[in-house]
């Protein structure tokens, strides 16, 4: 369908106005409030012990979540594309479950499973505290970021087929050699893009994490929880804006990395 000149202009204007109102204006206000007292005040706010602890905890969760989901995601993607087994459709649904489930529901479910009175609550008596501790926050983040690597790698595996893998097996290559020299190079862009998406979601996760965290500053408070804690509990709006700007800065770096990877992937094709 060919659109007229004024129709195209109208659609572009509406789209730009929509983005401006919902994205540019709120972010602009946050940046304005963040730097209204100068850049020195901003650095002072994000260099407090609570902010440094929140940053370190966030990076720690990301550092654990990403490798786990990379290994799990590649295995599941290979199973879904190359395998034919009972329950395959069920596994497809399970992979998409985090997309359709509220993060708060995920947090409540983890409490019912791993809490003091949950199915696996007996671990508390053995000194292994899951809920309201780092392991619970990691499990919650792993769950909500589970689909990204799978869904980025799966279409690439469909696209490349298995001809080269079968040829390698015919020539005597082991399963590991085939994966390392044939499969992994072929899926590298999809895998890398899935990793970046996983990092982005892990950095910004709030709903699931807040349910399984005490939210105490310096102990179990991520950057997203720090923003919430400063704004809601401490009524420190300036500190909340500074923490939000720090989180936005990290997210911006991830977004730029995603854009560069997408361009490289397009060039590689």
């Amino acid at each position: 369908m060919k659109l007229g000149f004024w129709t195209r202009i109208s659609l572009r204007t509406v789209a730009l106005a929509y983005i401006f109102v919902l994205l540019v204006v709120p972010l602009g206000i946050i940046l304005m409030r963040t730097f209204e007292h100068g850049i020195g005040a901003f650095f002072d706010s994000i260099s407090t012990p609570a902010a440094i602890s929140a940053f370190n905890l966030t990076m720690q969760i990301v550092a654990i979540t990403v490798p786990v989901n990379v290994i799990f995601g590649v295995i599941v993607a290979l199973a879904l594309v190359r395998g034919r087994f009972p329950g395959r459709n069920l596994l497809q649904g399970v992979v998409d479950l985090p997309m359709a489930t509220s993060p708060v529901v995920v947090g409540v479910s983890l409490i019912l499973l791993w809490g003091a009175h949950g199915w696996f609550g007996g671990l508390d008596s053995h000194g292994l505290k899951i809920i309201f501790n780092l392991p619970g926050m990691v499990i919650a983040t792993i769950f909500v970021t589970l689909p990204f690597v799978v869904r980025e790698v799966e279409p690439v595996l469909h696209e490349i087929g298995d001809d080269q893998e079968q040829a390698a097996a015919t020539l005597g290559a082991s399963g590991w050699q085939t994966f390392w020299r044939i499969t992994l190079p072929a899926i590298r862009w999809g895998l890398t893009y899935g990793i970046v998406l996983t990092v982005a979601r892990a950095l910004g996760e709030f709903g699931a994490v807040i349910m399984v965290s005490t939210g105490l500053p310096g102990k179990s408070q991520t950057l997203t929880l720090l923003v919430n804690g400063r704004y809601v509990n401490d009524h420190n709006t300036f500190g909340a804006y500074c923490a939000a700007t720090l989180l936005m800065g990290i997210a911006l770096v991830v977004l730029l990395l995603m854009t560069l990877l997408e361009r490289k992937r397009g060039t590689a094709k």
Side-chain angles (χ1 to χ4, degrees):
M1 182 175 66
K2 195 171 183 179
L3 300 177
F5 174 77
W6 290 110
T7 303
R8 294 198 303 270
I9 293 296
S10 299
L11 290 175
R12 291 172 184 173
T13 302
V14 171
L16 290 173
Y18 180 81
I19 294 174
F20 183 79
V21 171
L22 291 185
L23 183 64
V24 177
V25 171
L27 294 182
I29 292 174
I30 291 176
L31 291 174
M32 183 180 67
R33 295 288 180 84
T34 297
F35 297 106
E36 64 182 350
H37 299 299
I39 195 170
F42 165 72
F43 280 111
D44 288 340
S45 181
I46 64 171
S47 59
T48 62
I52 294 173
S53 174
F55 176 81
N56 291 337
L57 181 60
T58 300
M59 294 300 105
Q60 188 177 357
I61 292 174
V62 170
I64 298 172
T65 298
V66 172
V68 170
N69 271 338
V70 166
I71 295 172
F72 174 83
V74 172
I75 292 173
V76 171
L78 286 169
L80 291 174
V81 176
R82 302 285 188 253
R84 295 293 181 270
F85 54 90
R88 182 172 173 272
N89 291 334
L90 177 62
L91 182 58
Q92 288 274 16
V94 170
V95 170
D96 290 330
L97 188 61
M99 296 289 193
T101 305
S102 168
V104 175
V105 174
V106 173
V108 172
S109 301
L110 291 177
I111 293 174
L112 293 175
L113 282 174
W114 300 97
H117 303 290
W119 290 3
F120 307 116
L123 293 174
D124 269 3
S125 60
H126 293 87
L128 184 58
K129 188 174 179 61
I130 303 295
I131 300 301
F132 306 126
N133 201 11
L134 176 62
M137 301 168 72
V138 170
I139 293 173
T141 308
I142 288 174
F143 184 86
V144 298
T145 57
L146 181 149
F148 294 111
V149 171
V150 179
R151 292 311 181 205
E152 289 297 325
V153 171
E154 189 177 3
V156 179
L157 288 172
H158 279 296
E159 183 179 352
I160 65 175
D162 61 351
D163 293 343
Q164 294 184 23
E165 295 171 0
Q166 291 182 3
T170 302
L171 293 173
S174 65
W176 175 250
Q177 288 174 326
T178 301
F179 172 78
W180 188 255
R181 297 183 180 181
I182 304 297
T183 308
L184 186 59
I187 66 173
R188 67 185 185 278
W189 291 117
L191 179 60
T192 305
Y193 199 60
I195 291 173
V196 174
L197 290 175
T198 302
V199 171
R201 178 61 190 274
L203 285 171
E205 180 51 37
F206 177 78
V209 171
I210 196 173
M211 295 300 297
V212 296
S213 166
T214 62
L216 295 175
K219 293 185 177 180
S220 60
Q221 194 177 59
T222 62
L223 281 175
T224 52
L225 299 187
L226 177 66
V227 174
N228 178 73
R230 283 181 170 180
Y231 194 87
V232 176
N233 300 329
D234 301 336
H235 303 290
N236 178 9
T237 55
F238 174 72
Y241 289 137
C242 291
T245 299
L246 174 62
L247 194 56
M248 281 196 301
I250 299 172
L252 180 61
V253 172
V254 174
L255 180 62
L256 291 174
L257 182 59
M258 286 173 57
T259 304
L260 291 174
L261 289 174
E262 188 65 24
R263 289 181 179 177
K264 286 187 177 181
R265 184 165 65 173
T267 303
K269 289 180 180 179

